[in-house]
Every structure is written in C-alpha cells, then in structure tokens.
C-alpha cells in the first residue's frame, strides 16, 4: 500500500517541488491551496505522470475549521496520512516602524498558527497508527533574524520551537518531527528581486549560488524516508553555508 504525503501550499514554489519529488518516490499526494491558481492543473498533471494518486483540497491554513475539513477529506479519500509537510507560508515585509499590525498578524496566522492548525488535525491519525513523519518548513531567518522581516522571522522561529517540543511529545509513538530551514532559494518570489540585490545575497553564501527548490525537496525526501528513523527534533539548514 502506498504511503500518503500531505503538503500544505503544495501547488507553487518549494511546496510544489516537494510534492513532485515525493510523487516520484511513489507517495500518493494530497496538497492544499487557498486560491485556485494556474499551477493547480500543472501540478496535477506532473504528479499523476508518476502513476500515483493526487488530491487537491481547498482551504486556508490560518483557519482551523478549513484545516479540519481538509484533513477529513484526505482521510476519507486515502484512509491515512503518513507524511505531513507544513510548507504553506507568506511574507509581508516591512521595517517594524512602518509595519501594519494586520501584516504582522496575518504572517503569524498563516505561517505559525497554520502549522499548528494542520498538525493538530493530523496528529491523532498518526498517533493511532503509531507512525508518522512531520516536516515543518521554517527558514534560516527564524534562526538569524532579518531586518524588515520581524513578522516572518518570528513566525519561522516559532516553527522551530514547535518542532522541537512536538518531537519530544510524540517520539514514543514513533512519530518523527523535524524542520527544514531554507536559505535563499530560487522561486517565483525571488525572481522579482533586482539583480543587484541577488548579487549581494550570493556574496554572503559560501557556495556562491542561490539554492534550487530541488535542494529543499531532497532533504524533505530524506526526512520522510526510512533512512531517517533515528532523527527527530532537528533543524536542517539548506542555505549553502549562509549561517556558518
């Protein structure tokens, strides 16, 4: 019987690549999306090329009831969730002096509260199965901080604390909880940055290149696999050495 992976925000960027990578490994895939987008059909087509099942469920991770409905639908269709990847996230960057309180709240609601909302609804099924993998996508700025990102950095730091605490709570049920902290990764969002800004960022990276979505997805693949059975509560930076 195929394993089932649920990736939040799994139709774009890093989340989409994680879904495709796990599909190639034979996982049946479920993704959630908040608003229908042009990548939805493309994701479906590429995943189903791997002869696996695919399910897309609509819902806002910052809304607890939406998460409840999403998980219920996945369980109705697949009967289980073996791997949860909490990837959904947003940014609303601004210096704190100018940041609107709504922008701080929304980023924390999606990134951190969303991780709680989804995990809270998935964890009972993993506990019952005495098995599971939870992989939370944080960020290096959750460790280092970054000017203009107090909201984003706070949310991603919160995910790190959430990861470590939950790992201790559920280890006895053979549920492993880890976090991946990407650095500067090439996505549609980073494509909008000016070349000068990108060049300055690359200068701070020992490997002298911007990361690819595949770099993150491959670490998630490892943490989801049977090769990682003695790893839990860890934060793995995928940053080209940026935080050395």
């Amino acid at each position: 019987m195929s394993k089932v992976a649920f990736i939040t925000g799994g139709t774009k960027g890093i989340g989409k690549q994680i879904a495709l990578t796990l599909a190639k490994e034979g996982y049946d895939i479920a993704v959630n999306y908040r608003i229908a987008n042009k990548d939805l059909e493309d994701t479906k087509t590429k995943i189903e090329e791997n002869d696996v099942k695919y399910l897309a469920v609509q819902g806002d991770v910052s809304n607890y009831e939406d998460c409840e409905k999403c998980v219920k639908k996945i369980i109705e269709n697949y009967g289980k969730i073996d791997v949860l990847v909490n990837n959904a996230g947003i940014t609303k960057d601004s210096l704190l002096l100018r940041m609107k309180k709504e922008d701080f709240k929304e980023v924390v609601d999606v990134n951190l509260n969303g991780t709680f909302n989804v995990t809270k609804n998935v964890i009972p099924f993993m506990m019952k199965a005495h098995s599971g993998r939870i992989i939370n996508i944080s960020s290096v700025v959750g460790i280092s901080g970054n000017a203009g990102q107090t909201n984003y950095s706070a949310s991603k730091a919160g995910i790190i604390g959430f990861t470590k605490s939950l790992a201790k709570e559920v280890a006895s049920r053979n549920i492993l909880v880890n976090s991946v902290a990407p650095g500067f990764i090439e996505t549609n969002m980073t494509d909008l940055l000016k070349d000068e800004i990108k060049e300055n960022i690359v200068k701070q990276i020992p490997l002298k290149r911007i990361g690819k979505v595949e770099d993150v997805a491959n670490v998630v693949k490892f943490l989801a696999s049977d090769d990682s059975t003695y790893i839990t509560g860890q934060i793995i930076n995928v940053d080209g050495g940026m935080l050395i």
Side-chain angles (χ1 to χ4, degrees):
M1 188 177 181
S2 297
K3 288 187 175 182
V4 175
F6 174 27
I7 303 98
T8 67
T11 64
K12 294 188 288 186
I14 290 172
K16 181 178 180 179
Q17 185 59 50
I18 290 170
L20 294 175
T21 299
L22 294 181
K24 288 176 183 175
E25 294 297 304
Y27 290 81
D28 288 332
I29 301 295
V31 301
N32 99 294
Y33 63 96
R34 188 168 64 90
I35 299 171
N37 59 76
K38 60 184 176 59
D39 289 313
L40 203 54
E41 193 59 37
D42 182 61
T43 304
K44 180 180 189 295
T45 301
K46 288 182 177 176
I47 284 175
E48 290 181 343
E49 285 175 358
N50 298 283
D51 197 28
V52 298
K53 295 176 184 175
Y54 173 74
L55 177 68
V57 290
Q58 187 169 16
D60 181 350
V61 296
S62 69
N63 182 297
Y64 188 86
E65 287 71 28
D66 275 13
C67 295
E68 204 170 20
K69 290 174 186 174
C70 284
V71 172
K72 183 179 179 183
K73 190 169 182 181
I74 294 166
I75 295 297
E76 285 174 353
N77 279 266
Y78 290 146
K80 61 176 183 171
I81 296 172
D82 298 290
V83 176
L84 168 63
V85 183
N86 283 304
N87 166 78
I90 62 169
T91 58
K92 291 208 167 186
D93 298 348
S94 176
L95 295 174
L96 184 65
L97 194 64
R98 300 173 189 151
M99 186 178 290
K100 297 175 182 176
K101 63 181 181 180
E102 294 83 6
D103 289 347
F104 190 94
K105 183 178 185 301
E106 187 175 354
V107 169
V108 172
D109 278 348
V110 172
N111 298 0
L112 180 56
N113 294 345
T115 297
F116 166 81
N117 291 340
V118 178
T119 306
K120 170 75 171 173
N121 281 286
V122 169
I123 202 75
F125 299 99
M126 290 186 173
M127 295 283 279
K128 189 175 180 180
H130 286 258
S131 178
R133 300 281 197 281
I134 298 171
I135 303 158
N136 300 318
I137 306 301
S138 180
S139 169
V140 292
V141 303
I143 301 168
S144 67
N146 193 36
Q149 289 192 309
T150 51
N151 49 4
Y152 187 73
S153 297
S155 70
K156 293 300 187 177
I159 286 172
I160 288 172
F162 179 89
T163 297
K164 292 181 177 182
S165 297
L166 184 60
K168 290 183 176 182
E169 290 183 15
V170 299
S172 63
R173 294 296 183 100
N174 194 35
I175 301 168
L176 309 183
V177 189
N178 291 289
S179 180
V180 177
F184 196 72
I185 306 296
E186 190 176 334
T187 64
N188 291 339
M189 289 173 65
T190 58
D191 286 345
L192 299 175
L193 296 175
K194 295 178 181 177
D195 289 340
E196 183 183 349
I197 295 174
K198 290 182 184 179
E199 288 168 10
N200 287 333
I201 291 171
V202 169
K203 287 177 183 176
Q204 302 171 41
I205 303 172
L207 288 184
K208 299 302 178 192
R209 71 172 178 88
I210 295 171
K212 297 183 181 300
V213 288
E214 290 85 355
D215 296 321
V216 180
N218 285 334
V219 175
V220 172
K221 177 178 73 173
F222 166 70
L223 292 173
S225 76
D226 291 337
D227 293 328
S228 65
T229 55
Y230 202 55
I231 299 173
T232 196
Q234 301 305 303
I235 316 303
I236 301 178
N237 298 342
V238 184
D239 67 352
M242 196 182 224
L243 292 193
I244 292 175

